[in-house]
């Protein structure tokens, strides 16, 4: 089917190019028909994946249309070509340039066709995609929700265009961890894709998103099952050695490890290693990510020496391939420091934890704040072991402040560090303050246990 479509697009492209030659022979004057022929050539090139070529063809079409139509005239024909140029630029990764064409096209469509027209919905969808790529999650959701509403009112149930908007919208809600909204959108899109030809990769992506969604809310078996469906499709379409297969296996391995199924996790990671070696060779960042995961498993089975080798090699790769103060270097340092701490090599662990904290400096997102809080807590523990109580207090207090920002003061995570501070206060004779903090921790534990 794919080859037949390609042959048809190639044939159509030749016809349009022949038509263009005849038009130029027949008349030197550039007309609306000439512009439309250029536009159609661009459409064929886009369908063949020739995005640089189609961009050139659309540019020629747009140049002629802007000559023909007065600058103050709202031209749907011009808007159509601008929209297609935006699509081509998006495919080429030129996100900001794409928005520069999508926006005027959308404004013309809204003014000429109205806010309930399908073409306006298509424009909204693609502006939402640009915002998605720019990380403007809330703006993207506003556009895509409106696009979805219009599409559902104009198109039949199970239309692929509706599924496309549901698909992108669901991935945004997963970013916001609004899983209750994301999962129905994903299931609806998946139902549509299942009934369509040439949608295998889209189905696979939906299964990946479902896997991520289920893992966020802790439904691990459903997450693993979703990733397995994705892996089956990717292997059939892309082959066993494709990096996309390794990415899914990595997620399956992590989830297996989280449930304590360490042997299955290691089997998944072994296959990831094979693909990475085939595709990337040894000196690649993906290998560092894999080494961290294998190190975590080795720690769980008390093979700290092997874990240490994994972590130090991951650190070497990240220091070699990333900028000096990249947060992933801090993550690897923290793992190395923890092994030193378990070995009671506290001066070494303190030095390494301090280096990691120096990289985090002023963490500006929740993930980095959480990681920095964890390392500050570990640093405080090592400092307590060498009786450096004053610095331990400072480390615990910084950890406490960061956890308060991430989890809130009434969280178990906050209480955990409060307990550490309480123990430290007890060591220096501040018993009343110590009791208050430790009681708070016990209270939070009871609440947590009751909820479980």
């Amino acid at each position: 089917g794919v080859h037949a479509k390609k042959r048809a697009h190639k044939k159509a492209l030749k016809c349009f190019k022949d038509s263009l030659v005849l038009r130029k022979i027949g008349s030197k004057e550039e007309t609306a028909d000439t512009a439309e022929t250029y536009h159609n050539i661009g459409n064929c090139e886009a369908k063949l994946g020739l995005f640089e070529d189609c961009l050139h063809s659309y540019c020629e079409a747009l140049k002629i249309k802007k000559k023909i139509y007065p600058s103050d005239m709202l031209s749907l024909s011009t808007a159509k070509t601008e929209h297609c140029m935006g699509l081509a630029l998006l495919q080429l990764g030129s996100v900001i340039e794409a928005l520069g064409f999508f926006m005027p096209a959308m404004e013309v469509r809204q003014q000429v066709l109205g806010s309930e027209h399908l073409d306006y919905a298509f424009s909204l969808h693609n502006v939402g995609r640009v915002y998605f790529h720019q990380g403007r999650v809330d703006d993207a959701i506003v556009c895509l929700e409106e696009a979805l509403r219009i599409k559902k009112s104009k198109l039949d149930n199970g239309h692929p265009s509706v599924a496309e908007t549901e698909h992108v919208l669901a991935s945004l809600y997963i970013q916001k961890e609004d899983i209750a909204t994301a999962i129905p959108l994903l299931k609806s899109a998946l139902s549509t894709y299942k009934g369509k030809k040439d949608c295998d990769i889209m189905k696979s992506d939906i299964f990946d998103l479902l896997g991520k969604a289920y893992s966020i809310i802790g439904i691990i078996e459903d997450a693993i099952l979703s990733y397995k469906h994705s892996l089956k499709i990717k292997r059939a379409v892309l082959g066993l050695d494709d990096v996309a297969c390794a990415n899914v296996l990595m997620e399956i391995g992590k989830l297996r490890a989280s449930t304590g199924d360490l042997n299955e996790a290691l089997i998944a990671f072994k296959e990831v290693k094979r693909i990475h070696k085939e595709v990337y060779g040894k000196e690649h960042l993906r290998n560092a990510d894999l080494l961290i995961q294998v190190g975590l498993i080795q720690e769980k089975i008390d093979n700290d020496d092997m874990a240490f080798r994994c972590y130090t090699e991951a650190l070497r790769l990240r220091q070699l391939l990333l900028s000096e103060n990249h947060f992933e270097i801090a993550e690897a340092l923290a793992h190395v420091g923890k092994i030193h701490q378990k070995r009671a090599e506290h001066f070494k662990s303190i030095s390494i934890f301090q280096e990691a904290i120096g990289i985090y400096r002023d963490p500006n997102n929740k993930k980095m704040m959480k990681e920095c809080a964890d390392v500050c807590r570990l640093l405080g523990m090592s400092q307590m072991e060498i009786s450096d109580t004053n610095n331990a207090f400072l480390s615990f207090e910084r950890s406490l402040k960061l956890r308060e920002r991430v989890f809130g003061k009434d969280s178990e995570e906050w209480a955990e560090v409060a307990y550490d501070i309480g123990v430290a206060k007890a060591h220096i004779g501040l018993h009343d303050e110590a009791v208050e903090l430790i009681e708070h921790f016990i209270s939070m534990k009871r609440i947590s246990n009751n909820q479980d």
Side-chain angles (χ1 to χ4, degrees):
V2 173
H3 295 301
K5 281 184 180 178
K6 276 195 172 182
R7 283 195 295 273
H9 295 320
K10 284 180 180 178
K11 195 171 181 180
L13 179 60
K14 185 180 183 305
C15 290
F16 285 126
K17 283 186 172 180
D18 289 346
S19 171
L20 183 64
V21 170
L22 292 171
R23 287 186 189 284
K24 286 183 174 181
I25 291 169
S27 171
K28 290 184 179 179
E29 190 178 334
E30 291 175 327
T31 64
D33 287 339
T34 311
E36 214 48 49
T37 304
Y38 270 118
H39 183 95
N40 289 329
I41 288 169
N43 285 348
C44 292
E45 289 165 336
K47 284 169 184 173
L48 290 166
L50 305 171
F51 298 111
E52 293 280 4
D53 293 345
C54 78
L55 198 57
H56 173 75
S57 299
Y58 290 140
C59 276
E60 290 299 314
L62 194 60
K63 201 187 300 177
I64 296 168
K65 288 177 181 183
K66 286 189 172 180
K67 281 182 187 175
I68 294 170
Y69 303 116
S71 58
D72 60 343
M73 180 180 172
L74 296 173
S75 165
L76 287 174
S77 179
T78 302
K80 177 179 71 174
T81 301
E82 285 175 328
H83 185 83
C84 289
M85 285 185 75
L87 290 171
L89 287 162
L90 206 53
Q91 288 288 343
L92 293 166
S94 301
V95 175
I96 294 171
E97 283 185 75
L99 188 61
F101 287 98
F102 283 140
M103 289 302 285
M106 183 172 75
E107 286 165 11
V108 168
R109 286 173 168 182
Q110 185 181 25
Q111 288 181 52
V112 176
L113 301 171
S115 297
E116 297 297 316
H117 197 279
L118 260 179
D119 282 352
Y120 177 60
F122 296 147
S123 286
L124 279 168
H125 173 92
N126 285 305
V127 170
R129 283 175 66 201
V130 170
Y131 290 154
F132 170 84
H133 287 295
Q134 290 179 322
R136 296 167 60 179
V137 174
D138 291 333
D139 291 335
I141 286 173
V142 169
C143 289
L144 291 162
E145 285 282 13
E146 182 63 6
L148 184 61
R149 183 191 66 77
I150 299 166
K151 287 181 179 184
K152 281 185 170 181
S153 71
K154 302 290 182 183
L155 298 170
D156 296 333
N157 286 335
H159 195 284
S161 183
V162 174
E164 284 171 21
T165 302
E166 289 172 330
H167 187 161
V168 182
L169 195 52
S171 67
L172 289 160
Y173 279 120
I174 288 172
Q175 282 188 39
K176 291 175 75 74
E177 298 195 356
D178 183 354
I179 307 305
T181 303
I183 287 177
L185 288 166
L186 290 171
K187 287 183 175 179
S188 176
L190 183 61
S191 175
T192 298
Y193 291 148
K194 278 182 175 177
K196 308 295 177 187
K197 292 180 180 179
D198 304 327
C199 284
D200 285 340
I201 292 301
M202 305 293 271
K203 282 186 276 187
S204 176
D205 189 50
I206 292 286
F207 280 123
D208 286 339
L209 290 168
L210 280 168
K212 187 173 182 180
Y214 286 130
S215 66
I216 287 170
I217 57 176
I219 307 177
I220 303 303
E221 286 307 315
D222 284 357
I224 291 171
L225 187 61
S226 297
Y227 282 126
K228 280 184 169 180
H229 285 310
S230 170
L231 184 62
K232 185 178 179 181
I233 294 168
K234 283 181 169 69
R235 281 175 164 169
V237 176
L238 304 171
L240 298 176
D241 297 334
D242 197 273
V243 169
C245 296
N247 294 341
V248 178
L249 282 161
M250 188 79 153
E251 296 305 320
I252 291 171
K254 288 179 190 176
L255 290 167
R256 291 289 191 201
S258 74
T259 62
D261 193 351
L262 303 184
N263 286 333
E264 286 296 319
L266 286 171
I267 289 168
F269 291 147
K270 187 176 180 181
E271 180 64 3
V272 174
K273 182 181 178 182
R274 184 193 67 76
I275 297 170
H276 281 187
K277 187 177 179 182
E278 187 78 25
V279 176
Y280 299 125
K282 289 183 178 179
E283 305 286 287
H284 197 278
L285 273 177
R286 293 289 181 90
N287 295 331
D289 301 340
L290 178 60
L291 284 161
I292 294 288
Q293 296 303 319
V294 174
L296 290 168
I297 290 178
Q298 297 301 330
E299 270 198 271
K300 285 181 179 178
I301 59 176
D302 295 323
N303 192 351
D304 288 346
D305 289 342
M306 179 58 77
F308 187 72
R309 286 200 289 274
C310 289
Y311 294 146
T312 50
E313 176 61 8
L315 177 60
R316 183 191 72 79
L317 286 170
R318 287 180 176 179
Q319 287 176 326
L320 177 70
L321 299 167
L322 294 170
S323 59
E324 188 178 355
N325 289 320
H326 197 282
F327 76 92
E328 287 185 10
I329 294 174
E331 181 199 28
L333 283 164
H335 286 299
V336 172
K338 278 192 278 187
I339 300 295
H340 283 301
Q341 189 178 68
K342 287 169 82 173
R343 292 172 173 173
E345 297 168 351
H346 296 298
F347 286 102
K348 285 184 179 179
S349 67
I350 286 168
S351 174
I352 289 170
F353 290 145
Q354 286 173 335
E355 187 180 348
I357 290 165
I359 292 171
Y360 285 120
R361 284 196 299 277
D362 297 312
N364 57 8
N365 63 53
K366 282 192 173 183
K367 183 178 185 295
M368 288 178 67
M369 278 191 270
K370 179 186 175 299
E371 289 177 7
C372 188
D374 293 345
V375 179
C376 287
R377 184 178 180 230
L378 291 166
L379 175 60
M381 289 174 173
S382 284
Q383 288 164 333
M384 285 297 294
E385 290 293 333
I386 63 166
S387 301
D388 186 1
T389 311
N390 289 335
N391 280 320
F393 272 131
L394 293 173
S395 299
F396 287 141
E397 282 171 2
R398 186 176 181 196
S399 177
L400 196 68
K401 286 177 183 175
L402 287 167
R403 286 196 173 185
E404 184 175 337
R405 287 171 67 188
V406 176
F407 301 107
K409 204 169 182 177
D410 293 327
S411 66
E412 193 176 339
E413 290 83 0
W414 185 90
E416 192 176 48
V417 184
Y419 174 85
D420 295 326
I421 295 174
V423 170
K425 285 182 181 290
H427 270 86
I428 59 171
L430 299 173
H431 298 296
D432 290 342
E433 293 178 31
V435 167
E436 185 181 343
L437 289 164
I438 291 168
E439 282 181 345
H440 184 86
F441 170 74
I442 293 168
S443 170
M444 291 306 301
K445 270 289 183 187
R446 281 177 183 156
I447 292 168
S448 176
N449 290 338
N450 289 337
Q451 286 174 343
D452 292 342

